[in-house]
Amino acid sequence: YEQNLENVVLLSINSDPDYKFDKFLKDYGITFPVLLDKNSKIANKYRVLSVPTTFILDEYGKIAYIHYGTITKDKLNSLLEK
């Protein structure tokens, strides 16, 4: 996230309002914004079938790539270079 601040917006969306993710964020050093999708409206709109799911959107907001499951830093960086 910090490496691409000028070119990339990174958001995480949590759909479980009861999940205490503060510890998770601290343990993994996550500094990007985490939003709450209380009623799963975003998950339903984007047809999220599994968690985690990573969406890469282009500069026009169009989905350019979807990755299901855990994504590595190297994989994410390679996708962002395209």
Side-chain angles (χ1 to χ4, degrees):
Y1 172 68
E2 287 83 10
Q3 294 172 348
N4 294 299
L5 284 175
E6 294 179 19
N7 302 317
V8 174
V9 174
L10 185 63
L11 301 171
S12 178
I13 300 174
N14 175 24
S15 58
D16 183 357
D18 297 324
Y19 183 73
K20 305 295 184 208
F21 55 86
D22 291 341
K23 182 177 179 343
F24 177 83
L25 299 177
K26 184 177 179 183
D27 289 350
Y28 287 94
I30 295 172
T31 59
F32 49 83
V34 178
L35 309 174
L36 179 60
D37 183 18
K38 286 185 191 178
N39 301 315
S40 298
K41 288 180 182 179
I42 295 169
N44 292 333
K45 180 175 181 168
Y46 284 89
R47 298 184 181 140
V48 174
L49 304 174
S50 65
V51 175
T53 299
T54 301
F55 291 89
I56 307 283
L57 286 79
D58 65 17
E59 63 270 20
Y60 305 105
K62 183 178 175 186
I63 297 173
Y65 183 82
I66 302 173
H67 180 87
Y68 298 100
T70 304
I71 191 166
T72 65
K73 181 179 177 180
D74 290 338
K75 175 70 174 180
L76 182 58
N77 284 334
S78 73
L79 292 169
L80 294 175
E81 290 173 1
K82 293 181 180 182

